[in-house]
Amino acid sequence: MAVLRFPEENLLVNSEPEIREALAPLGVDYERWSLDRVSPDASADEVLGAYADEIEEMKRRGGYVTADVIDVNPGTPHLDAMLARFDKEHTHDEDEVRFILSGRGIFFLHINGRVASVEVGPGDMLRVPRGTTHWFTLCEDRRIRAIRWFQDTAGWIPHYTESGVDKGYQPLCFGPAYLGPRVVTTISA
Ligand SMILES: [Fe+2]
């Protein structure tokens, strides 16, 4: 389950319908998908086969031409360099679409002068439209496994804004503890 925060407003949203409703006006799609198709340690091909229907549906919805499975963990070669490509505010010429199989990370979305952080975890599907200013970081265990969709087989390239906005936000992960019953919560200072 994701955790959506608007840090400036001390607003935290942690239920599926409220997250979906809060992100929709920003043009960002959020959905919860089943994780019971394959075992967590299934191969990439097994994952792509198990989610073939969803993959094709997303291709139809978004014009994506290909999908793959990315697997990042502390042993991934050049992990710091990889993460450094995406932890500064940037845009892409195509959508950034992820279905999280395991691990956690945070998408910071900077839309209409407002910053939202979306901490995604297993079972979360997030679609960030092309042109959206955003940045991404992993949570402390530096692990994530996700299905990605692409509109261009050349992959996606970050266009940096150099705004420096990203420097004002700590990558604070709440984790699955926020699966609790609260729906919309104001964080006390
Ligand atoms: Fe990105």
Side-chain angles (χ1 to χ4, degrees):
M1 176 63 74
V3 179
L4 168 65
R5 296 175 66 226
F6 293 92
E8 272 82 29
E9 296 145 61
N10 283 339
L11 180 65
L12 184 149
V13 185
N14 61 352
S15 83
E16 179 189 357
E18 280 80 5
I19 293 173
R20 200 166 52 232
E21 285 174 22
L23 291 177
L26 308 180
V28 176
D29 293 339
Y30 171 71
E31 296 175 6
R32 288 284 299 170
W33 291 3
S34 170
L35 281 169
D36 60 8
R37 302 287 175 78
V38 286
S39 68
D41 56 356
S43 70
D45 284 344
E46 288 170 333
V47 168
L48 294 174
Y51 287 94
D53 288 347
E54 286 85 353
I55 288 169
E56 290 307 310
E57 170 65 11
M58 289 299 290
K59 286 180 179 177
R60 190 188 63 74
R61 282 164 56 180
Y64 313 115
V65 298
T66 189
D68 70 2
V69 175
I70 184 171
D71 207 333
V72 172
N73 60 67
T76 298
H78 313 297
L79 176 57
D80 287 329
M82 178 193 297
L83 295 176
R85 289 189 71 201
F86 302 112
D87 69 359
K88 290 173 273 300
E89 188 178 74
H90 62 273
T91 63
H92 304 285
D93 294 333
E94 64 174 279
D95 299 350
E96 189 160 333
V97 191
R98 302 288 183 270
F99 171 59
I100 312 302
L101 298 155
S102 62
R104 302 188 72 81
I106 303 180
F107 283 90
F108 287 91
L109 310 172
H110 185 196
I111 302 173
N112 299 330
R114 191 180 184 210
V115 172
S117 73
V118 189
E119 179 186 330
V120 291
D124 293 324
M125 193 289 294
L126 195 72
R127 185 189 70 87
V128 179
R130 67 185 76 183
T132 303
T133 46
H134 70 282
W135 63 99
F136 176 80
T137 185
L138 291 178
C139 292
E140 290 82 354
D141 63 357
R142 291 155 61 95
R143 291 180 184 279
I144 202 154
R145 192 172 199 221
I147 299 176
R148 309 184 290 186
W149 283 259
F150 297 99
Q151 286 153 333
D152 183 334
T153 51
W156 88 115
I157 297 167
H159 303 301
Y160 298 108
T161 65
E162 310 289 350
S163 71
V165 169
D166 45 90
K167 293 183 175 64
Y169 295 88
Q170 291 296 317
L172 181 62
C173 288
F174 286 86
Y178 274 80
L179 283 171
R182 287 184 296 170
V183 175
V184 178
T185 307
T186 299
I187 304 169
S188 57

